[in-house]
Amino acid sequence: MDRPYWLIFPFLTAKENDKSSLAGHYELRALVTVETQLICFSAKFTGIGDKPIISRIRPGITHIFFYLNAHYSADNVGIIVQIVSSVCTKSTRKGHLANGSNNIILNPTFEDELSNWSGKGCNILLHESMEDGKILPLYGKFFASATNRTRSWNGIEQEITGRVQTKLAYEVTAIVRIYGGNVADANIQATLWVQSQDINEQYIKIAISQATDKGWVQLQGKFLLNGSPLKVIIFLEGPPPGTDILINRLVVKHAEKAPRPLRPSMKNEAFGVNIIENSNLDDGINGWFPLGNCSLNMEFGSPIELPPMARNSLGMQERLSGRYILVTNRADTWMGPAQMISGKLKLYLTYQVSAWVKIGPGSTSPQIVNVALSIDGNWVNGGQVEFNNGSWHEVGGSFRIDKQPSNVMVYIQGPAAGVDLMVAGLYIFPVDRRARFKLLKKQTDKIRKRDLILKFSSSKANNVSGAFVKVEQIQNFFPFGSCITRSSIDNEDLVRFLVKNFNWVVFGNELKWSWTEPQQGNFNYKDADELLNFCKNNNLEVRGHCIFWEVEYAIQPWVQGLNKSDLTTAVQNRLTDLVTRYKGKFRHYDVDNEMLHGSFYKDRLGKDIQATMFRTSHQLDPSATLFVNDYHIEDGSDVRSSPEDYIRQILDLQRQGAPVGGIGLQGHIDSPVGPIVSSALDKLGTLGLPIWFTELDVSSANEFIRADDLEVMLREAFAHPAVEGIILWGFWELYMSRENAHLVNAEGKINAAGKRYLALKKEWLSRARGYIDVQGEFRFRGFYGTYNIEINSPTTKINRTFVVDKGESPLAINIDL
C-alpha cells in the first residue's frame, strides 16, 4: 500500500547542550534515494527548544542525508537518516523572509559569495558589514555592492535565461540601499534586459523606488516576458555615478495569484440622502464647529437652488434655505467650518460632494476653496474650485472609502489667511448609478442610433413578403481604442484581444520626443515605425501622442539645457522631422501635451510658441486633427484644470490662429460621478469641437468596483453628443502605467472590468428580428455601423451587408435580392 510515513527525530546543532541555539529558522538540503533514483530534496522548519522535527517520508526512500554526521535509525519504517548538511538562517531582525524554493535567482543572499553575479559596467564586492559595523545585512550574513559606477546604468546583474518562463507574471523583491557619492537618497530601478531571437534588445522597467543611505528599503515590482528570448538579464541601476548600490537580497518568483475580491453588497442603500447634519442651518450652526481659531456665524443671502451638479444627481429637491456659514478671523488657509461624520460612510459607495462657496473682500489673487475630509488623519479631496470674485461658486467632487474608518471629519478650507469664507448647502450623499444608467441609455438611443427602413427590391418581391429577417450589427463605427507599446505587441494573446475589441490605438511613449531623440541627434523612430506597421496590418487607426509635452519632468535633459535660440531651432526641427516623416499616417496629434499643468516651452520661448506649434503642425500635415490634451478636467479635483480654464486656453489659442481641431480629456479618474463628468462635457461642448477621452483608466483593487467605475465613464462618454471617441490607457496587466486598472490579468484572464467592457460593446451592437411586410419593407432603429442581414423564406435564403452612416433623419436602404 503506497501510504506516507512520518519520520520523527531530534535535531542536533553544533552546540548540542545549548537548547536556545535550536530556536530559529532552518533550511535542510538533502539527497534522497528513492529506490535507485537520487533526488534533491529540501525542507524548511522551525526548531524551538528540544521539540522534535517531523518530516513526511514516502515509501521507497532509503536514505536522507543531512549535515552533522550524526546517524539515526528509525526502525519502525526502516529508514536511515544521516545529517550531512544544514543551514540555519536564524535572524534576530524583524521581518525575516525565507528565499523560497521557487526563486529563480541563484545565490540570492550571497551565501555563496559572488557566484552567479556580475557587475554591469562596474565592480562588485562582497561585504559582511561596512562603516565599522554600522551597515549590516538585513537578511543572512552578506550583502554586495556595485561600486566604481561611472554611469547611472551601471549596477549589479544576473542572467536568468532558461529559468524565466514566457507569459508568466513574476514578482521581483529586492532589499537595497545606497552608499557614498555625497547623496542622501536616489532612485534605484530594477530593469530587465531582453535579447530576442533576431538580436533586438529591449529594456523593461520592473520597479523603481527611492533608496537612502540610512537604511535598507524594499524594491518591488512585476514583469511579464513575451516570445522566446535568446537572453535575459536582470540588473539594478539608477543612482548617479559615484554612488554605490548595495543589495542584500533579490527574489524573482512566479507571482502569486491574488484572491478574487468579493462583489460588494449594496442593497437598500440610502442613495441621495445627505449625511451632513443641519446642512440648511435650520438649527443655526449646531452640528458645526470652527476648525482652528476662527469664528462661525450664520448669515442670509446665499442661493436657494441646489448647485447644478447636485441637482443633476438628485433631481427635484426642496430649495435651500438661503442661509450660509460666514467664517471670519481666519489666521491660516486650513481654517473653516467643520463637522464630524464618523460612522456615516459606507464601504465602496461613491459619494458626491456639492456646496455653494464664496469669499469675502481682501484677496488680490484667485483663491482656492476645497471641501476636504480627514479620514483617520488622512486628507481626502472632496472637490475644489478657484475663483477671484465675490460671486457664489459651485464646488463639487467625489470620493470613496474601501476600509471602515474610526474618525471622519469634513471641513471647508483654502482661501488665504484673513480672507473670509462663506459656505452654503453642503451635500455629501451616495449616488445611485443604476438610476443614472437608465437615463443614459435613453440618451444613447437618441444620439447614437438611427431609424432604418430596409426596402427589398426584386422581380420576385412578392415571394419574399413575409420572409423572416435577422439583422446583426457586426461593427459599431464609434471609435474605441487602447494604448499600446512596442513590447506589448509581442504578446500574442494581448494582440488577439486588442484586434478583436478595439479599432483605434495610441502609442504609450514611442512617439514622444524623449523617446525618439533621447540624446541630441540620436534618433530612434524604429519603435514607432514598427508600431505603425502593426496598426496598418491590423486595420487600426492611430492617434499621435505627442509632439511636445509642456511638463518639465517629461522633457529630456539635453532639451532642458538649451538656450533660447537653440531651443527654438530644436523645436522647429522636431516638428519638421516628426510630422513630415509621418505625414498622413496619424489621424490625430496631441500637439503640446498638458498645457494647463506645465509651461516649459511657453516660459522659455514666449506665449506664442504654443500656437506656433499648432500652426506649423497643420502646415506640415493638413490631414491630421490637432488636439489639446490634459487631465482632471472632468472630475473637479484639480483647480489647475477646470472646464472653464480649458475653454479659456482653447479660445486663446484660436485667437492666435492655432487650428485646434479637438479636445482631449485624458480621463485618469477615481470614483467618477456621472453628473460631474457630464457637466464638464456640457461646458466643453459649447466650443463645437469633437471631444475624445484619450487616456481613460479607472483604478480599484476590487475588480467589481473597477468595473462599475469603468461603466460610469463609458456610458457618460457614449451618451454625450460631443464625444466622438474613447481611448483606454491600456487594458492588460503589466502593460499599464496605473496599478489596478487592467481589464485582463497578466496571464490572460479577463476580470470583472474586462467583462463589463465587453458587455457594453455587445450592448452597443444592434440586433433585430421580424418579417418583411406587404410593402416589402422591414423597419428598426439601430446604431451606426456595419450590418449583416439574413432573409429566410421557404424558397430562398439570402445574406447581404449594409452600412448605416451617422444622421438624424430615417435612412432608407435598398437591398437588391
Side-chain angles (χ1 to χ4, degrees), residues 299-312:
E299 300 289 344
F300 293 87
S302 58
I304 60 173
E305 299 285 349
L306 280 174
M309 288 185 286
R311 194 161 60 244
N312 288 342

Side-chain angles (χ1 to χ4, degrees), residues 50 68 81 137 142 192 266 298 376 404 423 509 552 722 804:
D50 57 358
L68 291 175
V81 180
F142 305 103
L192 207 65
M266 297 182 186
M298 186 181 72
D376 286 340
Q404 199 64 51
V423 180
N509 294 302
E552 188 163 343
V804 178

Side-chain angles (χ1 to χ4, degrees), residues 475 499 502-504 532-542:
Q475 182 186 15
V499 173
F502 298 96
N503 49 19
W504 278 68
L532 271 174
N533 190 52
F534 165 83
C535 294
K536 180 181 178 182
N537 292 338
N538 289 282
N539 299 313
L540 297 167
E541 301 283 1
V542 194

Side-chain angles (χ1 to χ4, degrees), residues 275-276 291 334 337-346 351-354 370-384 396-401 405 407-413 426-429:
I275 66 173
I276 296 298
L291 186 63
W334 51 266
Q339 184 173 131
M340 298 304 297
I341 56 173
S342 305
K344 295 183 178 182
L345 299 178
K346 293 192 175 182
Y351 287 89
Q352 183 173 345
V353 179
S354 177
N370 167 231
V371 179
L373 296 101
S374 174
I375 300 180
D376 286 340
N378 297 310
W379 176 81
V380 173
N381 184 6
Q384 51 190 346
S398 63
F399 69 94
R400 180 191 296 125
I401 60 171
N407 295 291
V408 183
M409 177 179 67
V410 60
Y411 59 103
I412 298 90
Q413 62 167 353
L426 175 62
Y427 270 66
I428 298 179
F429 56 93

Side-chain angles (χ1 to χ4, degrees), residues 320-333:
L320 301 178
S321 65
R323 294 183 285 265
Y324 65 91
I325 298 174
L326 172 63
V327 190
T328 57
N329 301 319
R330 300 178 61 256
D332 211 330
T333 58

Side-chain angles (χ1 to χ4, degrees), residues 585-603:
K585 295 183 179 180
F586 289 99
R587 293 282 300 276
H588 300 169
Y589 276 114
D590 295 329
V591 176
D592 194 11
N593 197 40
E594 297 176 2
M595 291 183 288
L596 289 173
H597 289 88
S599 55
F600 175 85
Y601 299 103
K602 183 179 177 180
D603 292 344

Side-chain angles (χ1 to χ4, degrees), residues 596-700:
L596 289 173
H597 289 88
S599 55
F600 175 85
Y601 299 103
K602 183 179 177 180
D603 292 344
R604 289 158 179 77
L605 302 179
K607 179 182 177 181
D608 294 341
I609 186 60
Q610 294 171 339
T612 299
M613 291 172 175
F614 276 83
R615 290 194 300 266
T616 305
S617 298
H618 180 68
Q619 292 167 2
L620 294 170
D621 188 355
S623 67
T625 303
L626 306 181
F627 275 70
V628 292
N629 191 51
D630 227 305
Y631 60 93
H632 285 329
I633 311 295
E634 70 288 336
D635 60 14
S637 68
D638 188 346
V639 294
R640 295 171 296 177
S641 52
S642 68
E644 292 79 6
D645 289 332
Y646 213 16
I647 289 170
R648 281 191 288 271
Q649 181 183 82
I650 294 167
L651 292 175
D652 186 51
L653 286 167
Q654 290 177 330
R655 278 191 291 269
Q656 297 177 68
V660 179
I663 301 171
L665 304 180
Q666 291 184 10
H668 304 294
I669 192 168
D670 295 301
S671 310
V673 170
I676 296 177
V677 175
S678 180
S679 174
L681 295 175
D682 289 342
K683 293 171 183 177
L684 295 169
T686 61
L687 294 175
L689 296 172
I691 299 172
W692 281 59
F693 280 95
T694 56
E695 304 178 17
L696 177 62
D697 57 24
V698 295
S699 176
S700 174

Side-chain angles (χ1 to χ4, degrees), residues 176-222:
V176 296
R177 63 185 292 170
I178 59 171
Y179 177 77
N182 296 318
V183 296
D185 54 69
N187 285 335
I188 294 181
Q189 177 174 310
T191 305
L192 207 65
W193 176 81
V194 182
Q195 186 179 58
S196 62
Q197 295 289 340
D198 57 4
I199 315 301
N200 283 330
E201 296 181 354
Q202 182 183 2
Y203 291 88
I204 301 173
K205 182 174 78 172
I206 301 170
I208 189 167
S209 182
Q210 187 176 71
T212 75
D213 62 355
K214 300 294 189 295
W216 297 99
V217 299
Q218 185 166 272
L219 178 68
Q220 282 187 305
K222 293 182 178 181

